[in-house]
Amino acid sequence: MTHTPATQPRLGRLATAMVTAFNEDGSLDLDGVRRLATELVDEQANDSVVVNGTTGESPTTTEDEKFAVVAATLEAVGDRANVIAGVGSFDTAHTVRMAKRAEQTGAHGLLVVTPYYSRPVQDGIIAHFRAVADATDLPVMVYDIPGRTATAIEADTLIALAEHPNIVAVKDAKGDVVSSSRVIAETGLDYYAGDDAITLPLMSVGGVGVVGTSTHFTGRGMREIIDAVVAGDYPRALAAHRRWLPAFTRVFGAPGCCTVKGGLRAEGRGVGSVRLPMVAAPEAVVTAFLDALHTAEQG
């Protein structure tokens, strides 16, 4: 179904790809997971939380750790926000198993990335996503991020995937607004910016919101942009976009999980360090991000 401004998308409009909290020894910190998820919903205006995605360092967490994170996040916010579980991998059978486990754990939706490393052809991508979508009754958000997977999902492929009733959304980190505009126009897929800075451009052609990284800190600013677009107030949306744009971009001065964890630590909200092969963001990157954030907050 194509959403009018008054219609709330099934998976919400403002979601954060949450970092995974670790203790200082690198072990999983479930109290930190619960605390951060609560902050995102109650203080940063998120109506969805995405766990075990790129920013959640999913390549370096075990399957059991992933579902401990899902369960802890549901415990913290599951009655107030959607909890979307990242279950993607390069192996279709493994992705299907994780999708089923996510449903059993109580997740409200699935984030499924394009299979990486093996670089499947488009027919293989279609078969992969359909197999995952067939495995549960949960809504699926397709994650198109060719910069990490080495394979872009073509517009015709996304249009074909939209025929499956469980495939309802796309996290768009491809950066091709023209292609995305075509898919939005020809399907009922809900499109979410996978890059914070492209939220307003994508919403201007029919996107519904964002799965953000800077939104660990900028959630209320992003909410202002989204609400202004939904209300049809594009001048207000543009003004807010320009105000927050430096923070949206500087969060990626290092890998997003590294900048976010550095920023949280600097603000006294630390959730541990990153796991190798990730390393801590340079202090200059964290400082530049926080300076942009504080400038935006001051208006």
Side-chain angles (χ1 to χ4, degrees):
M1 168 175 119
T2 301
H3 290 280
T4 65
T7 308
Q8 177 74 354
R10 184 169 176 180
L11 295 175
R13 291 190 182 274
L14 173 57
T16 292
M18 190 173 76
V19 295
T20 300
F22 299 132
N23 295 302
E24 290 307 315
D25 64 359
S27 60
L28 191 61
D29 176 9
L30 292 177
D31 286 339
V33 168
R34 296 183 190 95
R35 183 175 64 253
L36 183 57
T38 299
E39 289 177 1
L40 290 176
V41 174
D42 293 348
E43 299 176 20
Q44 292 296 335
N46 285 253
D47 45 30
S48 294
V49 178
V50 177
V51 297
N52 303 325
T54 304
T55 309
E57 297 179 73
S58 59
T60 58
T61 55
T62 68
E63 186 170 324
D64 285 345
E65 285 177 326
K66 286 177 173 61
F67 289 101
V69 169
V70 173
T73 306
L74 283 163
E75 181 182 345
V77 303
D79 59 342
R80 306 193 308 286
N82 298 300
V83 177
I84 303 167
V87 298
S89 79
F90 47 70
D91 174 4
T92 302
H94 183 215
T95 305
V96 166
R97 289 197 302 272
M98 288 199 292
K100 292 178 178 178
R101 188 168 177 182
E103 184 175 48
Q104 292 164 358
T105 306
H108 303 115
L110 304 174
L111 177 71
V112 185
V113 73
T114 316
Y116 41 91
Y117 188 76
S118 48
R119 300 184 68 181
V121 299
Q122 297 296 306
D123 284 348
I125 290 172
I126 291 172
H128 173 84
F129 280 108
R130 285 177 175 168
V132 178
D134 285 341
T136 79
D137 292 326
L138 293 178
V140 172
M141 180 184 293
V142 171
Y143 188 7
D144 187 10
I145 183 166
R148 292 183 181 271
T149 66
T151 305
I153 308 178
E154 295 177 2
D156 287 340
T157 299
L158 289 161
I159 291 167
L161 289 173
E163 296 172 1
H164 196 293
N166 290 343
I167 297 177
V168 303
V170 176
K171 180 183 177 184
D172 182 8
K174 184 159 52 186
D176 185 345
V177 175
V178 174
S179 176
S180 300
S181 179
R182 178 191 163 205
V183 178
I184 292 168
E186 296 185 24
T187 73
L189 291 171
D190 291 333
Y191 255 70
Y192 294 82
D195 179 339
D196 303 33
I198 206 170
T199 304
L200 177 57
L202 190 65
M203 290 193 74
S204 75
V205 295
V208 301
V210 64
V211 178
T213 301
S214 75
T215 48
H216 286 83
F217 308 83
T218 65
R220 292 200 174 276
M222 187 68 83
R223 174 62 72 179
E224 181 182 1
I225 295 169
I226 292 170
D227 287 351
V229 174
V230 172
D233 188 348
Y234 281 90
R236 181 164 66 94
L238 180 58
H241 167 81
R242 289 173 174 170
R243 174 181 168 189
W244 291 95
L245 184 60
F248 293 164
T249 56
R250 288 181 186 172
V251 76
F252 297 114
C257 59
C258 305
T259 307
V260 168
K261 284 191 169 180
L264 290 172
R265 182 185 293 272
E267 291 196 341
R269 302 160 56 203
V271 289
S273 58
V274 291
R275 286 181 176 175
L276 287 170
M278 293 299 183
V279 295
E283 183 177 348
V285 169
V286 175
T287 299
F289 169 66
L290 292 177
D291 286 348
L293 175 68
H294 297 153
T295 298
E297 289 172 339
Q298 291 165 9

